[in-house]
Amino acid sequence: MKRGKLPKGIITIVILSALLDKEGYGYLLQREVEKILGQSLSRGEIYSILRHLEIKGLVKKIPLDRGRRTYYTTTDKGRDFLLSQEESLSSTINVLQNIMKFIASRRSMG
């Protein structure tokens, strides 16, 4: 899949959403990001973001004895952060829709 530019923080929101109230590991998150965004990220990129989120206290590793996979889930702080983004995301959607309408109107002018 072609990789395009995404607004800053979108991948973080997708990963936190994928881990909300459940556990996941790199490959599963990689597939979830690809499904939601229509773009792929390497597992290295996924784990880099997970490390960053762990440092910020938004996700935590889950000590499970399931082979070599490292599982993660959101913390209470991560859950609160994700849920607090609803208004910001809604505003962003409205702004993007207005920009797209403006571009479409200019395109039709020739």
Side-chain angles (χ1 to χ4, degrees), residues 1-95:
M1 284 180 204
K2 184 179 177 188
R3 177 102 178 251
K5 297 213 179 235
L6 295 169
K8 188 175 182 173
I10 293 296
I11 297 169
T12 295
I13 297 294
V14 171
I15 288 174
L16 287 173
S17 297
L19 292 174
L20 187 63
D21 300 326
K22 59 185 174 184
E23 59 195 46
Y25 60 94
Y27 179 71
L28 292 176
L29 294 171
Q30 182 182 23
R31 289 180 50 120
E32 188 72 17
V33 167
E34 186 172 311
K35 183 172 75 173
I36 291 171
L37 300 178
Q39 298 183 27
S40 61
L41 294 176
S42 71
R43 259 177 270 156
E45 290 173 299
I46 297 290
Y47 280 112
S48 176
I49 294 167
L50 284 168
R51 277 191 298 277
H52 179 73
L53 294 174
E54 187 177 18
I55 289 167
K56 291 176 101 176
L58 302 178
V59 301
K60 65 182 177 182
K61 290 180 184 175
I62 302 173
L64 297 173
D65 187 18
R66 294 189 184 168
R68 296 188 309 172
R69 291 187 181 131
T70 302
Y71 285 78
Y72 295 84
T73 192
T74 54
T75 60
D76 289 341
K77 182 178 176 181
R79 187 177 202 288
D80 292 346
F81 171 79
L82 176 63
L83 298 178
S84 76
Q85 299 304 301
E86 182 179 9
E87 186 177 326
S88 175
L89 290 170
S90 181
S91 295
T92 300
I93 289 168
N94 289 332
V95 168

